[in-house]
Amino acid sequence: SPRYQRALKLHGITQGMSRKGNSMDDGLIENFFDLLKTEMFYDQEYKYHSLQELAQAIEEYIEYYN
């Protein structure tokens, strides 16, 4: 929607969307985020007492994953 696109632009975020009917564009990143959520978040929310702790854990996971 135009309102959503303006909000993204206001915050300096580039919108990324696949073309209709071409979901393969995002398959790799979708798989990565599914792994991230499954391996370090689902049923483990109690581990993170703040957003900073969660952000740090995500950064460490990405470093490990790479």
Side-chain angles (χ1 to χ4, degrees):
S1 75
R3 184 176 175 188
Y4 181 72
Q5 291 172 350
R6 281 193 304 275
L8 291 177
K9 190 172 190 175
L10 177 69
H11 291 91
I13 300 171
T14 302
Q15 184 176 5
M17 294 177 54
S18 296
R19 293 176 304 280
K20 187 174 182 176
N22 195 3
S23 61
M24 293 300 288
D25 288 350
D26 296 324
L28 293 174
I29 199 68
E30 296 273 345
N31 184 56
F32 168 77
F33 280 112
D34 185 50
L35 287 172
L36 182 142
K37 291 183 285 187
T38 300
E39 292 181 5
M40 64 169 289
F41 189 72
Y42 292 144
D43 295 327
Q44 301 177 58
E45 296 93 334
Y46 62 89
K47 290 182 178 180
Y48 312 107
H49 302 289
S50 70
L51 287 176
Q52 288 177 328
E53 286 183 18
L54 177 59
Q56 180 64 36
I58 289 171
E59 287 179 22
E60 290 171 7
Y61 181 85
I62 291 171
E63 191 69 31
Y64 164 78
Y65 190 85
N66 283 329

